[in-house]
């Protein structure tokens, strides 16, 4: 049979996975003591003996499971025979086989019998061979519902509608469990076969969906008799994540080796300024690498947008046309286009290869603060301080596809890489999250102070929100939980943008009003580095190269764009003392709406 969802081609059979194995002596005779102690060459090895402080039985059974999963069925059988430990009880093996083979009556009989007879808990001996040891919180109705739901969906896919209706009415409905889900299943009776999987959130009866069903059911079965799927792999993941979590400078997408303890060298981290770009003549407010890492865009108060070749950092294009400072720029997902957002109340779309302006959005009545691209690079969203159209979705023809109502002014916006969510930072200390396909608001979060920027991780699971009070929050996009808070940098008067950094986005990086760059470890919140970054004023924006983990860029009020990487000579050409922002590089106080957190 297939253990943990693996096919029999991996080298083991149903009997091998679930059988009761006994240890064989050298003369071929089985020799197992009555109290469960196994013997080898006359030596007694108690089952309670430990392996470097770990339970010997647990370690051995997990190894047996892993050998089967790796396809080493013979080795797994040998280990079971030599150790005297069985992987699963006969009842669990029979139940597993019944579920994976679709023998629903047999699976249900074992399940009902286990609840009726209250099988011993915590792996105690003496249970019937065809009973399961259930977890303390096991719910009979829930487990039966899962089994019968699978049966119902398989009948639907086979277009046996009469039998499916009978299961729905006579087996699922009487359980009175998850009424909303029951109604959803009822609606599937009229669903075309080709849409069944998508509508049901189900991937079919053969292999994967039954394996997933078994995994769900196993959560209600004591792990003492049914080890959770892929247990060794999960434990090894914990080990690797623990090593990454303890490595402050972990900056590689490759997982640590299991052969040795892991620690990255600080000397390999990008802590030195290796290039200064001084083409701007005023404060630089934004910087950003293209997705393929071959280009860099910078923009600022001098109304200029510059595109650089990152192999030499020579200027490829100087984009002119905005009549006021440019606060934001965003590459399309395919890097063919660039959108820039300005205080002149317009957003412009440019051809990234030629530098030609393709489209100008002049709909907004107040400064355009940010923009985000749809995954297909054929439409985009603009955000603005314009309360009547603070958030608009546009086609590449310049026609509005949707305008969100609600009367809020938007400081920043971002679309998740998977295209599911649109996040808008409201100047009224709120964060709006919309379904980008339906335009409906999914939830709205109240924040302790005004949000000034939002960034979404590459896996679309988390967002970083900068708050005017000087705190960065890492928020789970599904649960809305604040996973971590990052403090220590300076923010209060101006827009500061943070971002994810590193090869696997292991870091949170932010500029600051004290001319410094702050780098935190994302997983444990430790402040890894504080860099004396620019000569005066704010460090407004940071961008980490998506293709070169050893490089990032900063943009500051001192008119400079700085390239950070590893300098073999450890030379850091930064001059002048740091000073807090408050006066612009022109010598005049900053009063613009985009550069401050004030609103109209």
């Amino acid at each position: 049979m297939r253990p943990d969802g693996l096919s029999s081609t991996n080298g083991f059979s149903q009997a091998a996975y679930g059988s009761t194995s006994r240890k064989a002596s050298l003369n071929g005779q089985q020799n197992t003591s009555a109290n469960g102690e196994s013997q080898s060459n006359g030596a007694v090895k108690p089952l309670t003996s430990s392996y470097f402080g770990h339970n010997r039985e647990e370690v051995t059974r997990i190894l047996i499971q892993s050998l089967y999963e790796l396809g080493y069925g013979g080795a797994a059988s040998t280990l079971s025979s030599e150790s005297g430990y069985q992987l699963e009880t006969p009842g669990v093996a029979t139940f597993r086989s019944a579920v994976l083979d679709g023998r629903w009556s047999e699976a249900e009989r074992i399940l009902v019998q286990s609840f009726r007879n209250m099988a011993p808990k915590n792996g105690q001996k003496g249970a019937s061979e065809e009973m399961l040891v259930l977890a303390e919180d096991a719910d009979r109705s829930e487990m039966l519902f899962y089994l019968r739901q699978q049966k119902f969906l398989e009948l639907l896919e086979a277009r046996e509608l009469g039998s499916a209706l009978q299961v729905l009415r006579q087996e699922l409905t009487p359980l009175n469990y998850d009424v909303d889900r029951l109604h959803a299943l009822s609606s599937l009776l009229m669903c075309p076969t080709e849409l069944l999987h998508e509508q049901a959130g189900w991937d079919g009866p053969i292999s994967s969906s039954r394996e997933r069903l078994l995994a769900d059911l196993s959560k209600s079965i004591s792990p003492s008799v049914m080890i959770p799927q892929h247990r060794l792999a999960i434990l090894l993941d914990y080990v690797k994540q623990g090593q990454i979590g303890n490595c402050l400078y972990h900056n590689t997408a490759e997982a640590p080796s299991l052969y040795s303890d892991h620690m990255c060298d600080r000397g390999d981290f990008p802590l030195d300024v290796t290039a200064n770009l001084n083409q701007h003549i005023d404060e630089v407010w934004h910087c950003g690498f293209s997705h393929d890492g071959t280009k860099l865009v910078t923009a600022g108060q001098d109304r200029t947008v510059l595109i650089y070749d990152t192999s030499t950092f020579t200027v490829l294009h100087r984009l002119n046309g905005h009549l006021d400072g440019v606060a934001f720029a965003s590459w399309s997902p395919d890097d063919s286009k660039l959108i820039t957002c300005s205080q002149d109340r317009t957003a412009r779309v440019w051809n990234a290869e030629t530098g030609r302006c393709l489209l100008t959005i002049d709909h907004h009545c107040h400064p355009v603060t940010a923009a985000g691209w749809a995954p297909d690079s054929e439409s985009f969203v603009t955000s603005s301080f314009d309360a009547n159209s603070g958030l608009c979705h546009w086609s590449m023809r310049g026609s509005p596809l949707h305008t969100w109502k609600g009367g809020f002014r938007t400081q920043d916006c971002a679309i998740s890489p998977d295209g599911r969510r649109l996040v808008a930072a409201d100047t009224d200390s709120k964060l709006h999250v919309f379904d980008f396909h339906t335009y409906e608001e999914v939830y709205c979060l109240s924040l302790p102070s005004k949000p000034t920027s939002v960034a979404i991780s590459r896996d679309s699971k988390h967002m970083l929100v900068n708050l005017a009070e000087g705190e960065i929050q890492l928020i789970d996009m599904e649960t809305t939980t604040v996973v971590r808070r990052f403090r220590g940098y300076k923010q209060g008067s101006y827009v500061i943008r943070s971002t994810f950094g590193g090869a696997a986005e292991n870091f949170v990086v932010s500029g600051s009003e004290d001319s410094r760059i702050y780098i935190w470890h994302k997983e444990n919140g430790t402040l890894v580095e504080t860099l004396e970054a620019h000569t005066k004023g704010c460090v407004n924006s940071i961008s980490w190269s998506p293709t070169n983990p050893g490089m990032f860029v900063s943009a500051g009020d001192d008119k400079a764009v700085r390239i950070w990487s590893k300098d073999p000579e450890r030379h850091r050409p930064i001059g002048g003392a740091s000073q807090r922002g408050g006066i612009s590089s022109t010598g005049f106080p900053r009063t613009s709406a985009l550069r401050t957190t004030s609103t109209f």
Side-chain angles (χ1 to χ4, degrees):
M1 67 173 285
R2 297 169 297 185
D4 297 327
L6 299 178
S7 65
S8 59
T9 58
N10 283 333
F12 54 85
S13 65
Q14 175 177 338
Y17 196 104
S19 63
T20 303
S21 301
R22 296 286 189 238
K23 180 198 270 215
S25 64
L26 294 178
N27 63 8
Q29 301 296 317
Q30 291 180 339
N31 189 5
T32 304
S33 61
N35 63 2
E37 297 177 339
S38 55
Q39 300 176 347
S40 176
N41 297 328
V44 177
K45 294 183 178 180
L47 296 183
T48 55
S49 63
S50 66
Y51 171 73
F52 293 95
H54 302 285
N55 183 284
R56 178 178 293 273
E57 179 178 357
E58 291 182 359
V59 172
T60 306
R61 291 178 61 222
I62 288 173
L63 288 175
I64 294 170
Q65 180 197 54
S66 304
L67 287 171
Y68 278 127
E69 292 177 347
L70 289 167
Y72 305 136
S77 297
T78 299
L79 177 56
S80 181
S81 176
E82 290 187 0
S83 67
Y85 297 120
Q86 59 181 0
L87 179 58
E88 294 179 339
T89 64
V92 170
T94 303
F95 182 72
R96 174 190 294 276
S97 176
V99 171
L100 294 180
D101 293 342
R103 302 196 305 272
W104 308 121
S105 297
E106 183 177 4
E108 189 165 318
R109 176 181 57 78
I110 294 173
L111 189 59
V112 171
Q113 179 179 315
S114 300
F115 275 99
R116 180 181 300 127
N117 290 278
M118 298 299 292
K121 304 292 192 297
N122 302 321
Q124 296 174 2
K125 309 301 180 184
S128 166
E129 288 195 349
E130 282 208 348
M131 283 200 298
L132 307 172
V133 179
L134 300 171
E136 291 185 1
D137 59 350
D139 186 315
R140 178 181 181 276
S141 296
E142 178 185 53
M143 297 182 76
L144 288 174
F145 188 91
Y146 287 163
L147 275 174
R148 295 172 183 180
Q149 175 182 247
Q150 179 77 14
K151 179 181 178 181
F152 170 77
L153 291 172
E154 291 191 18
L155 289 170
L156 274 188
E157 180 161 82
R159 305 314 293 167
E160 298 182 29
L161 300 182
S163 298
L165 182 60
Q166 185 176 7
V167 171
L168 183 69
R169 289 177 173 174
Q170 300 181 13
E171 298 183 34
L172 281 165
T173 301
L175 292 174
N176 196 30
Y177 178 84
D178 198 345
V179 177
D180 290 338
R181 178 60 178 169
L182 190 64
H183 291 162
L185 293 176
S186 301
S187 67
L188 297 175
L189 287 167
M190 304 301 294
C191 179
T193 305
E194 61 272 16
L195 298 178
L196 177 61
H197 293 182
E198 180 181 354
Q199 294 295 323
W202 180 70
D203 51 8
I206 306 302
S207 67
S208 58
S209 69
R210 290 180 180 174
E211 293 158 8
R212 186 174 294 110
L213 168 64
L214 185 64
D216 289 337
L217 293 171
S218 69
K219 297 174 184 177
S220 298
I221 300 173
S222 172
S224 66
V225 295
M226 188 176 189
I227 302 173
Q229 286 183 317
H230 320 306
R231 186 58 186 162
L232 180 60
I234 292 172
L235 292 173
L236 294 179
D237 281 341
Y238 290 153
V239 171
K240 290 184 176 181
Q241 288 304 315
Q243 293 202 26
I244 291 173
N246 290 323
C247 178
L248 291 183
Y249 297 95
H250 187 79
N251 192 23
T252 173
E254 297 180 1
S257 171
L258 293 171
Y259 288 134
S260 60
D261 293 337
H262 170 80
M263 191 61 67
C264 289
D265 188 345
R266 180 178 183 271
D268 294 327
F269 203 72
L271 299 175
D272 301 286
V273 176
T274 54
N276 283 285
L277 310 181
N278 297 307
Q279 285 80 5
H280 284 279
I281 61 173
D282 212 328
E283 298 172 4
V284 188
W285 291 345
H286 190 80
C287 61
F289 282 102
S290 60
H291 298 88
D292 63 8
T294 63
K295 297 182 179 66
L296 171 71
V297 64
T298 62
Q301 193 174 27
D302 61 4
R303 310 176 185 179
T304 301
V305 179
L306 300 176
I307 297 178
Y308 307 80
D309 178 343
T310 56
S311 62
T312 61
F313 287 105
T314 56
V315 176
L316 297 175
H317 301 291
R318 183 180 295 271
L319 309 181
N320 297 309
H322 283 295
L323 303 178
D324 208 335
V326 182
F328 189 85
S330 177
W331 296 93
S332 62
D334 63 6
D335 290 328
S336 66
K337 296 179 284 290
L338 181 74
I339 187 168
T340 55
C341 304
S342 172
Q343 291 179 310
D344 66 6
R345 306 177 185 180
T346 70
R348 291 175 178 262
V349 181
W350 311 81
N351 183 307
E353 293 300 321
T354 66
R356 183 172 63 90
C357 183
L358 303 176
L359 176 66
T360 299
I361 301 295
D362 56 7
H363 167 80
H364 296 287
C365 300
H366 290 285
V368 182
T369 55
W373 286 92
D376 62 3
S377 300
E378 293 302 319
S379 67
F380 56 90
V381 169
T382 58
S383 64
S384 170
F385 286 144
D386 187 347
N388 294 321
S389 55
L391 206 58
C392 298
H393 187 195
W394 304 91
S395 72
M396 275 304 297
R397 295 188 298 274
S399 57
L401 301 175
H402 184 76
T403 299
W404 281 264
K405 304 300 181 183
F408 57 86
R409 298 178 173 92
T410 309
Q411 176 68 63
D412 198 11
C413 70
I415 297 175
S416 60
D418 62 9
R420 294 180 59 239
R421 298 284 186 258
L422 167 65
V423 181
D426 186 343
T427 58
D428 191 26
S429 301
K430 294 179 181 178
L431 202 67
H432 304 271
V433 178
F434 301 94
D435 185 312
F436 188 54
H437 300 297
T438 66
Y439 301 132
E440 297 295 324
E441 186 172 81
V442 180
Y443 56 83
C444 177
L445 297 180
S446 294
L447 302 171
S449 65
K450 294 177 183 179
T452 65
S453 72
V454 59
I456 301 177
S457 61
R458 287 197 296 260
D459 61 9
S460 300
K461 293 182 178 179
H462 297 93
M463 53 185 168
L464 276 180
V465 182
N466 272 59
L467 301 178
E469 69 175 8
E471 177 180 278
I472 301 171
Q473 293 188 354
L474 178 68
I475 300 175
D476 186 302
M477 293 194 67
E478 287 299 320
T479 66
T480 74
T481 302
V482 178
V483 178
R484 203 153 286 111
R485 291 177 169 87
F486 305 94
R487 299 185 180 95
Y489 75 112
K490 305 298 182 183
Q491 183 174 6
S493 301
Y494 307 113
V495 173
I496 302 294
R497 295 184 178 277
S498 64
T499 187
F500 295 96
E505 296 192 329
N506 295 326
F507 305 99
V508 170
V509 192
S510 181
S512 177
E513 291 184 12
D514 61 7
S515 308
R516 296 184 175 99
I517 293 172
Y518 290 78
I519 304 174
W520 297 268
H521 195 285
K522 186 184 72 174
E523 296 304 321
N524 60 37
T526 301
L527 181 61
V528 176
E529 291 287 343
T530 301
L531 306 177
E532 298 292 339
H534 288 255
T535 58
K536 67 174 183 177
C538 297
V539 180
N540 301 303
S541 179
I542 307 287
S543 181
W544 204 292
S545 172
T547 55
N548 179 2
M551 178 191 295
F552 67 89
V553 175
S554 63
D557 283 355
D558 58 358
K559 311 177 189 178
V561 175
R562 293 202 159 97
I563 312 301
W564 298 79
S565 58
K566 174 188 174 183
D567 187 345
E569 299 180 0
R570 311 302 303 168
H571 178 62
R572 191 171 302 164
I574 297 291
S578 299
Q579 66 181 45
R580 295 190 61 178
I583 303 297
S584 72
S585 61
T586 62
F588 296 98
R590 281 191 275 251
T591 58
S592 68
L594 288 184
R595 290 294 293 130
T596 72
T597 57
S598 62
T599 57
F600 297 93

